[in-house]
Amino acid sequence: DLERGAVNFYSRKLKRIFIPYLIAVVVYFLFTEPWSLSALTWHIVRGDILVPYYFVVVLFALYLMYPLLVWMAKYRWFLPATFALSVIVALLHLRWAYGIPLPFEFVFFFAYGIAMRPLLYRDHAPVALWPWLLIGALYFGAFFAYPTYYYNAMFFWGITAFVLLFHFRDAVTAFTARIFQPLGKHSLWIFLIHYPLLFWIGNQALDVLEAAPTILGAVALTAVSLALS
């Protein structure tokens, strides 16, 4: 039963995450680089064809660690140890090895979900609200002071955001639920396409800004010519 459960678990992750990721990488690769199976394979392994894709590689590494994390979760030192590991790795910038993103900075993200899952299923808030408000304030303070270093500290900011939303879950109306539920169902595809889409929109906006003096000049000349005619 344990073996069958593991097979089902990993097959679902392959279907729901890896296959969409593979499709996105291949499509973007075909439009941006000359064909090379070796280059494509390395893009898939490293998650570096687009900036956010490294996290899919991190996610799969964490899923490979999942059985070990579940076993460790029975010990009291589980959350403090994984939190310390994430903080140390983040402070030392031990994020890559041979161009491949490492998962250790995000271990606490998974560990917290494993440890708190029973509470969340019973609809109980994990802890009081004020510590998470303090953590959120500390994060934003560090982010604005040192944005280069703390722009991606998901191992505690992501959890903070989740817990705050959980605390205020009763404020979510049926209207907002109808908006966010479809987004949640398609969140992986949104993640995979948001960066190239925003990048393209940004480039278009820059083109418009660069052309703005010419456009404004043409409009002004047209207005003057109409006024004098």
Side-chain angles (χ1 to χ4, degrees), residues 37-80:
L37 182 60
S38 174
L40 176 60
T41 302
W42 274 114
H43 281 312
I44 294 168
V45 172
R46 291 174 174 171
D48 61 356
I49 197 165
L50 284 171
V51 173
Y53 284 15
Y54 79 95
F55 193 71
V56 179
V57 178
V58 167
L59 193 61
F60 270 99
L62 289 169
Y63 280 132
L64 291 175
M65 297 170 62
Y66 189 77
L68 175 63
L69 294 173
V70 170
W71 174 79
M72 292 168 58
K74 61 186 177 182
Y75 296 102
R76 296 183 64 180
W77 48 261
F78 176 58
L79 286 181

Side-chain angles (χ1 to χ4, degrees), residues 79 112 116 119-120 124-132 135 163 166-167:
L79 286 181
Y112 186 86
M116 295 299 166
L119 284 177
L120 298 175
H124 290 305
V127 294
L129 181 60
W130 70 265
W132 295 103
I135 290 173
V163 172
F166 186 86
H167 271 280

Side-chain angles (χ1 to χ4, degrees), residues 92-158:
L92 296 178
H93 304 288
L94 303 176
R95 294 173 174 145
W96 307 86
Y98 303 103
I100 299 174
L102 300 175
F104 304 110
E105 181 180 352
F106 303 96
V107 165
F108 183 67
F109 198 70
F110 253 49
Y112 186 86
I114 292 170
M116 295 299 166
R117 184 182 180 192
L119 284 177
L120 298 175
Y121 268 104
R122 292 198 297 269
D123 205 33
H124 290 305
V127 294
L129 181 60
W130 70 265
W132 295 103
L133 291 173
L134 177 61
I135 290 173
L138 289 173
Y139 167 75
F140 279 109
F143 172 78
F144 285 114
Y146 305 101
T148 304
Y149 292 101
Y150 297 107
Y151 71 97
N152 200 21
M154 189 185 294
F155 60 87
F156 62 89
W157 165 241

Side-chain angles (χ1 to χ4, degrees), residues 9-49:
F9 175 80
Y10 286 111
S11 64
R12 287 199 306 272
K13 301 307 176 188
L14 286 172
K15 292 175 184 176
R16 296 178 181 178
I17 300 175
F18 182 74
I19 291 178
Y21 166 70
L22 184 63
I23 293 171
V25 171
V26 171
V27 169
Y28 194 80
F29 179 82
L30 292 175
F31 277 94
T32 58
E33 297 187 25
W35 172 253
S36 168
L37 182 60
S38 174
L40 176 60
T41 302
W42 274 114
H43 281 312
I44 294 168
V45 172
R46 291 174 174 171
D48 61 356
I49 197 165

Side-chain angles (χ1 to χ4, degrees), residues 211-227:
T214 303
I215 295 172
L216 290 174
V219 172
L221 287 174
T222 302
V224 170
S225 65
L226 289 173

